[in-house]
Amino acid sequence: MASTLTKPGTKVTPKVFLFNVLNGVAIAIIAGLIPNAILGEILKALKPHFPIFGELLLITTSIQFAVPLLVGALVAHRFNFSPLGIAVVAASSFIGSGAAVFKNGTWVITGIGDLINTMFAAALASFLILLIGERFGSLNLIILPTFVAVLTGFITLHTLPYVKMVTTAIGHMINTFTEMQPVIMCVLIALVYSIIIISPISTVATSMAIGISGLAAGSASIGITAAEAALVFGTWGVNRLGVPLTIFLGGVKMMLPNMVRYPIMLLPITTTAAISGFVASFIGIGGTKESAGFGIIGLVGPINAFRFLEGDNVIIKLILVAIAFFVVPFTVAFISHFIYMRVLKIYNKDIFKFLG
């Protein structure tokens, strides 16, 4: 590259540093998770009939495993690092994610790892590269991979168990909600999941960890859907069509930088989630721990909700699912934006301009 930010004396403000990390993560999540989010359920349905769809399913699933590497590479790209710097940050992020585990004498890829620790690893490696800069000239070819990658990996592997405690704590909180009256439980779980989906925490990992099921799992899906609905309408008109479309298809976390810069955007999201969860509790929207973390992504939530609805009338069940997952969230999201922006003038559309 013609110029980098790794030269001695380079100064990066904390604000620029933070948003370089967040923006890199936002793009990485889109690139790594969207293919399976869009095609996963379709390919699963076609797999038993045509073997080629089984191969395509393996490909779209395996793309997800590259997320830690993509996070590191794109964060480094935001800093305009040299190719060596990009490789080092990518390697450090992969190690820090905890996605690779040594079991029974074999390295096993367990998933995408912990996204929060992945971000920390990318940030730490980037900081060390900025600190070292180009002070060692050609020796950087040895020092950066050896010193930065190994030191970052060592530190983040030791922080990983503690970072995972964040997910565990949230899981315990959600479990306490399941002991409450059903309507209150549905509203609270929808609220929590509408916030988690736009954070670095994985809704899928949280759901699997706590074994959420039934009405609680259905409410989790509704909360995620509410966040998608609020962000689709929020981003519409201030971004190109690809942004709201990507969010609708599952790329909610791409708005993480916006949420950090403008926390007020959580207002329409949580409003939509609370009302949608309330309605869903009366409809009886259910789910499983496997479906709870997806919402309408890949139609996982609606398909499982349909299975759990009582009754034999297919048309009525389809209508109820459509009301819970599409009519209510998107209607409430539209009205919420209108009230908060046009009537109360609490925020304006510009907060939804994609910062990635």
Side-chain angles (χ1 to χ4, degrees):
M1 293 184 180
S3 62
T4 69
L5 293 178
T6 58
K7 293 181 179 179
T10 295
K11 300 293 182 182
V12 177
T13 65
K15 182 178 180 180
V16 170
F17 187 92
L18 174 63
F19 281 99
N20 278 348
V21 174
L22 293 176
N23 291 336
V25 171
I27 300 297
I29 289 171
I30 295 171
L33 300 183
I34 282 296
N36 193 58
I38 297 174
L39 300 174
E41 292 303 308
I42 298 173
L43 295 175
K44 285 179 185 177
L46 295 173
K47 177 182 174 182
H49 308 288
F50 305 96
I52 188 173
F53 291 110
E55 296 179 21
L56 292 174
L57 180 61
L58 287 175
I59 293 171
T60 58
T61 303
S62 62
I63 291 174
Q64 296 178 114
F65 300 147
V67 166
L69 288 167
L70 294 174
V71 167
L74 289 167
V75 167
H77 175 72
R78 295 292 302 189
F79 284 105
N80 202 26
F81 286 157
S82 65
L84 176 63
I86 292 174
V88 169
V89 178
S92 301
S93 300
F94 180 73
I95 297 167
S97 71
V101 179
F102 193 70
K103 289 183 178 180
N104 303 321
T106 305
W107 283 101
V108 180
I109 303 297
T110 59
I112 68 171
D114 188 286
L115 189 56
I116 298 177
N117 212 54
T118 303
M119 290 173 61
F120 175 59
L124 179 58
S126 299
F127 172 76
L128 292 174
I129 290 176
L130 288 170
L131 189 65
I132 293 172
E134 297 177 349
R135 290 180 173 84
F136 298 98
S138 60
L139 288 177
N140 269 355
L141 289 170
I142 299 172
I143 292 174
L144 292 187
T146 305
F147 175 74
V148 174
V150 173
L151 179 60
T152 301
F154 178 80
I155 292 173
T156 53
L157 282 180
H158 283 78
T159 60
L160 182 61
Y162 300 99
V163 172
K164 284 184 175 179
M165 292 173 66
V166 175
T167 303
T168 303
I170 292 173
H172 287 318
M173 179 182 69
I174 294 172
N175 274 330
T176 62
F177 294 161
T178 61
E179 301 171 4
M180 297 179 178
Q181 192 269 346
V183 175
I184 297 175
M185 174 196 73
C186 291
V187 171
L188 290 176
I189 290 179
L191 278 170
V192 171
Y193 268 78
S194 71
I195 297 172
I196 293 176
I197 189 62
I198 199 174
S199 77
I201 301 170
S202 168
T203 53
V204 176
T206 301
S207 301
M208 296 293 287
I210 64 179
I212 194 171
S213 62
L215 273 178
S219 301
S221 285
I222 292 295
I224 295 170
T225 303
E228 291 180 294
L231 290 173
V232 164
F233 281 119
T235 55
W236 193 277
V238 292
N239 296 282
R240 292 184 177 180
L241 179 60
V243 173
L245 182 60
T246 301
I247 291 171
F248 180 78
L249 294 174
V252 180
K253 290 187 188 296
M254 67 186 285
M255 297 302 290
L256 175 59
N258 294 68
M259 190 268 289
V260 172
R261 180 171 290 184
Y262 307 109
I264 192 64
M265 68 187 293
L266 288 175
L267 183 58
I269 290 174
T270 52
T271 299
T272 304
I275 296 174
S276 300
F278 179 80
V279 174
S281 68
F282 289 100
I283 293 176
I285 297 298
T288 64
K289 64 181 180 180
E290 290 83 8
S291 69
F294 289 94
I296 57 173
I297 300 169
L299 294 180
V300 176
I303 290 171
N304 279 272
F306 179 85
R307 289 171 47 214
F308 279 89
L309 278 177
E310 297 181 359
D312 299 321
N313 193 313
V314 174
I315 301 300
I316 292 177
K317 289 170 69 174
L318 285 173
I319 292 173
L320 290 175
V321 169
I323 290 172
F325 280 93
F326 296 98
V327 177
V328 173
F330 284 88
T331 300
V332 174
F334 179 80
I335 295 172
S336 296
H337 280 302
F338 179 81
I339 292 174
Y340 293 139
M341 282 194 299
R342 301 293 177 83
V343 180
L344 301 178
K345 301 186 186 300
I346 297 175
Y347 58 82
N348 59 55
K349 270 275 192 180
D350 289 341
I351 70 173
F352 294 98
K353 285 183 178 178
F354 180 48
L355 299 175

